[in-house]
Amino acid sequence: VCTQKELLPCQSLPDNLLFQLLGLSIATLSTVTHYGLRFTLLSNISLESNAYRVIHHTAFYFGICLSMTLILAALLSSAATVRESQCLTAMGFFCFALAFCGLVPAACWRYTHSTEVEESMMDVYDLVYEEVRRNASSFRRHELTAIHEAFLCCGKHSPFGDTANIEHKTCPSSQVRDAGQDCLQEIRNFLKKHMDFVSIPLGITIGFTVYGMILTSFLWFSIHFSSSLDRKGKYILR
């Protein structure tokens, strides 16, 4: 139960806890995406000239930095509320503003460059597939088999018409027997589902950072103008 004296800290604790949970969720999503089997497999296979490896690592570091910024903002807001510190409140606002300035370009990039990520992932598969088709390299064949097993797909439609031998050597037996999914289509579908899922926490985080900036602004002005939330005054009965 909160008394009038403790009203502001008690009201802010649920909000700050929510920001911390949101930051931990983003860190978890970034880690799962970065170290997920399918993403890691294509990243390790891709060449230096392919943009996918850069995108893969950039997305991970951006997610970790964003989660740390949100957690730091929540901790600063909690400390500012308890100590009624304008400096800590301003630092909390700066962290929320920093997160917001990073989230908006990320959201725009997600909708304007989604095809770039998709094409870079499919280029990795095309490279491995064509090298196996031309050279029958044992090393590349092992990588192609790993992709087929990870994505549960089998080969691709090729204009050369000589893919049956490759598919029998590199596809899981169940995929060969059941005429498995085209790998390029499977990669496209997988990435679309993942990007749609990422858009949900991205939008939620943008909304909460705006809410955090409004909350810290209100707190700063309340402390600055010694409003009714001020609990440092002395009272004298007359």
Side-chain angles (χ1 to χ4, degrees):
V1 179
C2 296
T3 64
Q4 185 67 24
K5 183 179 179 180
E6 300 171 342
L7 182 58
L8 184 57
C10 289
Q11 286 180 335
S12 64
L13 286 178
D15 295 331
N16 294 326
L17 180 60
L18 185 60
F19 285 121
Q20 293 181 41
L21 291 176
L22 185 61
L24 291 175
S25 300
I26 294 175
T28 303
L29 178 61
S30 302
T31 303
V32 170
T33 301
H34 184 72
Y35 293 103
L37 174 61
R38 297 179 176 183
F39 292 106
T40 304
L41 180 62
L42 293 180
S43 178
N44 293 336
I45 295 174
S46 64
L47 300 177
E48 294 293 337
S49 58
N50 190 291
Y52 175 70
R53 182 176 296 182
V54 177
I55 296 172
H56 180 73
H57 291 291
T58 302
F60 171 70
Y61 292 121
F62 173 80
I64 295 299
C65 291
L66 175 61
S67 65
M68 293 175 63
T69 302
L70 288 174
I71 293 174
L72 178 60
L75 294 175
L76 289 172
S77 298
S78 298
T81 304
V82 174
R83 301 182 60 181
E84 296 186 357
S85 171
Q86 288 182 268
C87 180
L88 292 177
T89 305
M91 291 173 64
F93 177 86
F94 174 77
C95 288
F96 282 120
L98 184 64
F100 179 78
C101 292
L103 283 166
V104 172
C108 294
W109 189 91
R110 179 260 178 271
Y111 288 103
T112 58
H113 291 77
S114 58
T115 56
E116 180 180 341
V117 183
E118 179 182 301
E119 291 172 358
S120 63
M121 292 182 70
M122 292 191 294
D123 284 344
V124 175
Y125 180 80
D126 271 331
L127 170 69
V128 177
Y129 189 91
E130 292 304 320
E131 286 196 9
V132 172
R133 187 185 65 81
R134 291 194 302 266
N135 303 324
S137 168
S138 59
F139 178 72
R140 287 300 188 185
R141 187 186 304 136
H142 175 73
E143 293 178 339
L144 186 62
T145 301
I147 295 176
H148 288 162
E149 292 176 351
F151 284 90
L152 298 178
C153 59
C154 183
K156 67 172 185 176
H157 299 296
S158 174
F160 299 101
D162 55 352
T163 61
N165 187 42
I166 299 175
E167 293 174 359
H168 279 85
K169 291 182 178 180
T170 60
C171 293
S173 57
S174 59
Q175 296 294 321
V176 175
R177 183 175 59 254
D178 300 333
Q181 177 79 21
D182 179 272
C183 280
L184 295 180
Q185 185 63 39
E186 186 64 24
I187 291 173
R188 181 183 291 110
N189 294 338
F190 166 75
L191 184 62
K192 183 179 183 301
K193 292 178 181 178
H194 185 78
M195 296 296 281
D196 290 342
F197 177 76
V198 169
S199 299
I200 297 175
L202 192 62
I204 293 174
T205 307
I206 291 176
F208 273 101
T209 52
V210 174
Y211 171 69
M213 287 189 291
I214 296 174
L215 191 65
T216 50
S217 299
F218 172 75
L219 178 60
W220 189 91
F221 281 108
S222 297
I223 297 172
H224 180 72
F225 292 109
S226 299
S227 67
S228 59
L229 297 177
D230 185 17
R231 302 186 301 280
K232 295 181 179 179
K234 295 182 180 180
Y235 299 89
I236 301 175
L237 295 177
R238 298 193 178 190

